[in-house]
Amino acid sequence: MSADRKHFSPSARFLHWLMAPLVIAMLFIGVGMVATLSSWHQTLLAIHKPLGIAILVLVSVRFIVRLTHRAPPLPDDMPHWQQHIAHLSHWVFYALLFAMPLVGWSMLSAGGFPIHLFGPVNLPPIVPQDVRLYAVLRSAHTVLALLLFATFLAHLGAALFHGLIRRDGVFSSMAKGRD
Ligand code: HEM
Ligand code: HEM
């Protein structure tokens, strides 16, 4: 297998491993939040909003890093359809990482709810107040979260397949600086 496969840039790797636990935590915080009416609901929501906006900032930086640093090519001996799916899934990830926080922010705007982050920091509404729009965006937030979770599971499976079975340098291209 291609032992000389290049790795992702340090900034890409740093952002990948910073964001991976944050995004997974957000999915579980979201599900935990809607599963309870106790005081935990408010506590989790108070974490969910600023963390979601932090993810929006991080993915914006990461997207610029992605466009300015070449990603290492996938191994030549990997079937083309698998290469296409791998690339597609990465762009789906980027799209969802932008969409989730923007839909969350928009839905609270449409519902007329305050978008309090921390201390005195509040975000302004980004869409007009409209109860029907709120309903659409609230459902979209759930559906996109399910899609993000499914993409993550497929991604984890593929990463383990590369790391444990194919051992072709794909896993270490993101996991460490050298193969
Ligand atoms: C990567 C970013 C985000 C992820 C992965 C995420 C994920 C989730 C998930 C899984 C749920 C539960 C959905 C359900 O079962 O219906 C949820 C609900 C929610 N999210 Fe997010 N979210 C993100 C960003 C945001 C942002 C930025 C905001 C607002 C500024 C936000 C506001 C909300 C609200 C208000 C709820 C519903 C709470 C309720 O109905 O009690 N989310 N989110
Ligand atoms: C914790 C389990 C995870 C593992 C083991 C893992 C592993 C990897 C590996 C090995 C690559 C390189 C693939 C390639 O060369 O094509 C990669 C890329 C990528 N991963 Fe993950 N990942 C994990 C979680 C996540 C999560 C939660 C996200 C979503 C935020 C994510 C988003 C991405 C993206 C967008 C890329 C493409 C990088 C680029 O082209 O800029 N990963 N991951």
Side-chain angles (χ1 to χ4, degrees), residues 19 22-37 41-42 45 48-56 96-109 113-117 123 134 138-139 141-146 148-149:
M19 289 185 73
L22 294 183
V23 171
I24 298 164
M26 276 298 278
L27 289 168
F28 284 97
I29 290 171
V31 171
M33 190 165 80
V34 294
T36 178
L37 290 173
H41 180 267
Q42 286 308 313
L45 189 56
H48 193 81
K49 287 188 278 185
L51 200 52
I53 298 300
I55 288 173
L56 180 60
L96 289 172
L97 294 174
F98 276 110
M100 282 304 297
L102 286 173
V103 170
W105 184 355
S106 308
M107 92 194 178
L108 290 181
S109 308
F113 297 107
I115 311 157
H116 176 246
L117 292 190
L123 290 179
Y134 169 77
R138 180 66 187 83
S139 303
H141 201 63
T142 305
V143 171
L144 292 176
L146 287 170
L148 180 58
F149 192 57

Side-chain angles (χ1 to χ4, degrees), residues 2 7 25 49 67 72 113 117 139 149 152 174 178:
S2 48
H7 42 79
K49 287 188 278 185
L67 295 180
F113 297 107
L117 292 190
S139 303
F149 192 57
F152 162 66
M174 188 53 96
R178 253 169 260 166

Side-chain angles (χ1 to χ4, degrees), residues 1-2 74-79 82-83 158-171:
M1 300 280 166
S2 48
L74 289 165
D76 292 339
D77 60 352
M78 199 174 142
Q82 283 184 19
Q83 299 199 14
L160 293 177
F161 176 65
H162 283 286
L164 300 175
I165 296 171
R166 276 185 57 102
R167 299 183 191 199
D168 54 6
V170 169
F171 186 85

